[in-house]
Amino acid sequence: MKNEFNRNELLRRVTESRISKGNERVRAITQRIVTDLFKTIEDFEVKPDEFWAAVQWLSRLGASGQAGLITAGLGFDRLLDILEDEADQRAGIASGTPRAIEGPLYIPGAPLSRYETRLDNGQMKGELFVMEGVVRDTNGNPLPDAMIDVWHANENGRYSHFDPSQEEFNLRRRITADAEGRYRFRSILPPGYAIPPNSPTSELFDLLGRHGNRPAHIHFLVSSAGRRALTTQINIPGDTFIDDDFAFATRDGLVVSLEKVDSAAGYESLDVSGPFTRIRFDFKLQPASSADEAKHIGRYERAAA
Ligand code: MBD
Ligand code: FE
């Protein structure tokens, strides 16, 4: 009878069998997840057709490249930020600009400029704005040559690279701050984002009775030698979804104000002529406790390092 066993013995065999050391952490976390899933299947009396529909959904999700939408929409991305915030607080590390989730749509290697640049290609509809400020440490000292990576959606709420209708790196740039830590750029205010309809992601959100909208936002990755690389976003005020982000990423300290500026004097090098909208925002970077923490890289590169 040694190959006839009940569910508890099956779970024991699945989680305890080994032919080599493996990795203890991976083993322990897998054991927890499998144990919890066995229990979920039992408690909800999940039937084979439901189980295989879910597995097939997971396969389609992977093939669609949308796993990062699901993690954001189910709160995992914000959870990681909350846990890091709590760890900083316990360690007494001065807080800088609040962190906000990277999201799944960052692409490294955007075109690089010094001090100032233009993100849009002149064809995007919407309101011209200039965003400017200084990158500082947590004591307020400017950080010369700090690196800013900025990316946002186009007028349809889509991101270049993932949207074949846009040229490569449209609305994506890197800027090195000047000797006083200053940066500025012009672009067009983006609208919000909505998860793709008729996709594995929208299937789940429909079944959950949830919307898949993000309020209008702009992403940043900001870094400087000896400072902890910051991943954050700003939120553009006035969006219907500002306090109801499907990714739970809005933070009070990141909702900027839009200033109306009457004269373009001083903005000639950005080709601004008439009145325009301005966002002023200084980034504050925490001290880094290792060279790795200071690296200007996206989350997938960081995980692979
Ligand atoms: C986005 O633009 C985004 O920032 C996140 C977190 C998820 C989906 C789309
Ligand atoms: Fe985004």
Side-chain angles (χ1 to χ4, degrees):
M1 293 284 279
K2 71 173 183 297
N3 288 303
E4 294 305 317
F5 37 78
N6 65 18
R7 64 183 86 155
N8 293 326
E9 173 61 11
L10 171 63
L11 179 62
R12 198 190 64 75
R13 290 185 182 210
V14 169
T15 58
E16 290 180 11
S17 69
R18 72 199 313 173
I19 56 159
S20 67
K21 248 178 104 255
N23 177 294
E24 276 315 321
R25 186 168 170 78
V26 171
R27 283 184 59 87
I29 293 172
T30 303
Q31 173 168 0
R32 167 70 72 88
I33 292 171
V34 172
T35 302
D36 289 353
L37 265 181
F38 269 42
K39 188 157 171 39
T40 303
I41 289 167
E42 289 168 27
D43 289 354
F44 287 85
E45 299 182 36
V46 173
K47 296 290 173 274
D49 58 346
E50 294 175 312
F51 181 79
W52 296 117
V55 172
Q56 205 252 1
W57 176 82
L58 269 178
S59 300
R60 286 186 289 112
L61 179 68
S64 72
Q66 292 176 2
L69 292 184
I70 294 296
T71 63
L74 295 184
F76 291 101
D77 302 27
R78 181 66 191 268
L79 171 67
L80 295 174
D81 279 352
I82 289 172
L83 294 174
E84 286 207 85
D85 288 352
E86 288 176 1
D88 285 358
Q89 241 171 16
R90 280 195 303 273
I93 299 171
S95 54
T97 298
R99 44 170 69 85
I101 72 175
E102 179 177 315
L105 306 172
Y106 172 69
I107 298 294
L112 180 62
S113 305
R114 182 153 179 90
Y115 174 50
E116 62 178 356
T117 191
R118 177 171 180 168
L119 272 56
D120 66 299
N121 60 13
Q123 265 133 65
M124 182 169 162
K125 290 183 209 62
E127 183 175 339
L128 187 161
F129 76 99
V130 172
M131 178 163 165
E132 64 184 346
V134 177
V135 184
R136 302 179 185 279
D137 67 19
T138 42
N139 296 317
N141 304 308
L143 295 167
D145 309 317
M147 172 79 92
I148 296 158
D149 218 316
V150 49
W151 71 104
H152 69 74
N154 75 353
E155 70 265 40
N156 302 316
R158 300 221 165 79
Y159 287 80
S160 64
H161 185 87
F162 302 93
D163 171 13
S165 81
Q166 294 178 56
E167 70 254 43
E168 197 68 348
F169 293 118
N170 189 37
L171 308 171
R172 299 177 185 273
R173 291 291 184 276
R174 286 177 300 158
I175 305 164
T176 46
D178 72 4
E180 277 91 60
R182 292 177 304 184
Y183 75 92
R184 65 181 192 178
F185 63 86
R186 74 173 269 184
S187 194
I188 301 291
L189 286 177
Y193 168 93
I195 56 172
N198 309 117
S199 66
T201 301
S202 70
E203 267 176 57
L204 179 64
F205 277 77
D206 288 347
L207 290 168
L208 296 175
R210 287 187 52 193
H211 73 73
N213 297 290
R214 295 213 61 213
H217 62 279
I218 301 173
H219 295 269
F220 298 91
L221 219 154
V222 187
S223 66
S224 178
R227 316 304 305 175
R228 195 186 226 178
L230 169 73
T231 304
T232 193
Q233 306 181 14
I234 58 152
N235 284 103
I236 296 156
D239 195 292
T240 340
F241 291 102
I242 196 136
D243 300 319
D244 187 23
D245 178 5
F246 104 101
F248 311 100
T250 304
R251 301 198 64 167
D252 294 339
L254 300 174
V255 181
V256 297
S257 19
L258 303 178
E259 276 174 78
K260 296 288 164 211
V261 182
D262 292 331
S263 159
Y267 293 87
E268 295 82 0
S269 55
L270 286 173
D271 271 333
V272 180
S273 39
F276 66 101
T277 297
R278 182 168 60 192
I279 297 170
R280 284 197 274 202
F281 195 86
D282 288 0
F283 294 98
K284 287 208 171 83
L285 306 188
Q286 300 172 303
S289 55
S290 73
D292 268 2
E293 276 190 0
K295 276 191 188 139
H296 184 87
I297 51 175
R299 62 187 192 180
Y300 300 122
E301 294 164 279
R302 194 170 287 281

